[in-house]
Amino acid sequence: MQNVFLLIEHANKVIYDYFGVASSFDILICRGTWEMEVQVVARKEGSNLSLPAGAKLVGITDYRLREIVIRFDAAKFGHYLHELIHSIISKSLPHQLREGLAWYFTYKLTEKHRYAMAWPPYWVEELYVNPVRRLAKMVGGNDNDDDFLKDLATGKATIEYALLPEDIADLFLPEELFYAKKRYGK
């Protein structure tokens, strides 16, 4: 457990150094798959938590309860970092944009330490991360400067998303419309 506390402390420090804010969410540590499944089921009732069927989760962030639930038997530093980034992203942003931004910044903050990286399923890359990468290029994000995206993520900036290419603009749609559009096409 001491190692887990050190990982969480270090991840929060990395986030604070990069974004200027730290997480205030509670963190629940699970020992394995069964405990994680129990926590997920308990949080789905009355929650906005949406999970793909059969998802093998290492961590989840519940915005309503302001909690992070994570499996220490499977989590690497990148998983802790990813969930803590979720907790500082503005809750006013749609789920798919929060997910894309959280993965984008997780990659960004662990790119020099690939062994610490958490890897999402391929469909997360396609649906969320690739459009955020394109947005980053459009708004001037580069290796050293993601100030606008940081401000967008933390609720300090807005963007006229209707003027953006469709795949990027879709990230700003209400969650139900985003997934319906992806499921049934244009």
Side-chain angles (χ1 to χ4, degrees):
M1 274 317 227
Q2 197 67 353
N3 289 342
V4 171
F5 293 137
L6 288 172
L7 288 174
I8 292 168
E9 185 179 322
H10 185 65
N12 238 338
K13 182 183 178 331
V14 167
I15 291 168
Y16 185 81
D17 290 347
Y18 193 74
F19 290 97
V21 294
S23 176
S24 62
F25 280 32
D26 293 330
I27 300 176
L28 286 88
I29 307 297
C30 298
R31 282 178 258 158
T33 305
W34 173 247
E35 285 184 6
M36 188 70 177
E37 289 174 10
V38 169
Q39 293 297 327
V40 169
V41 169
R43 279 154 178 72
K44 278 185 93 167
E45 280 299 315
S47 177
N48 293 349
L49 191 61
S50 62
L51 303 169
K56 302 285 188 218
L57 296 174
V58 174
I60 59 170
T61 300
D62 189 320
Y63 294 94
R64 184 180 52 85
L65 296 175
R66 299 181 52 83
E67 289 180 342
I68 296 169
V69 181
I70 197 155
R71 285 180 51 188
F72 88 86
D73 66 318
K76 295 194 279 186
F77 175 75
H79 293 102
Y80 293 101
L81 183 67
H82 177 74
E83 296 304 329
L84 287 165
I85 289 171
H86 260 294
S87 72
I88 64 153
I89 292 178
S90 175
K91 297 6 161 221
S92 66
L93 298 174
H95 164 76
Q96 61 275 3
L97 182 55
R98 289 191 314 253
E99 193 66 45
L101 289 166
W103 279 113
Y104 175 82
F105 287 117
T106 301
Y107 286 154
K108 186 108 177 137
L109 294 170
T110 59
E111 68 189 346
K112 293 180 182 166
H113 308 284
R114 292 304 220 176
Y115 57 88
M117 181 59 195
W119 297 99
Y122 76 92
W123 57 268
V124 169
E125 288 274 337
E126 291 297 316
L127 280 180
Y128 311 132
V129 182
N130 289 340
V132 169
R133 283 186 181 129
R134 287 189 55 222
L135 176 61
K137 287 180 184 173
M138 292 177 74
V139 296
N142 59 41
D143 291 341
N144 301 317
D145 178 24
D146 270 321
D147 288 343
F148 179 78
L149 276 187
K150 287 192 276 189
D151 288 345
L152 179 66
T154 56
K156 298 175 191 166
T158 59
I159 189 168
E160 185 57 51
Y161 62 86
L163 302 174
L164 297 170
E166 185 177 10
D167 66 327
I168 299 170
D170 284 352
L171 291 174
F172 292 85
L173 294 173
E175 185 178 352
E176 299 79 15
L177 185 55
F178 174 82
Y179 289 110
K181 191 172 182 181
K182 296 300 178 190
R183 186 175 304 123
Y184 301 115
K186 304 185 188 303

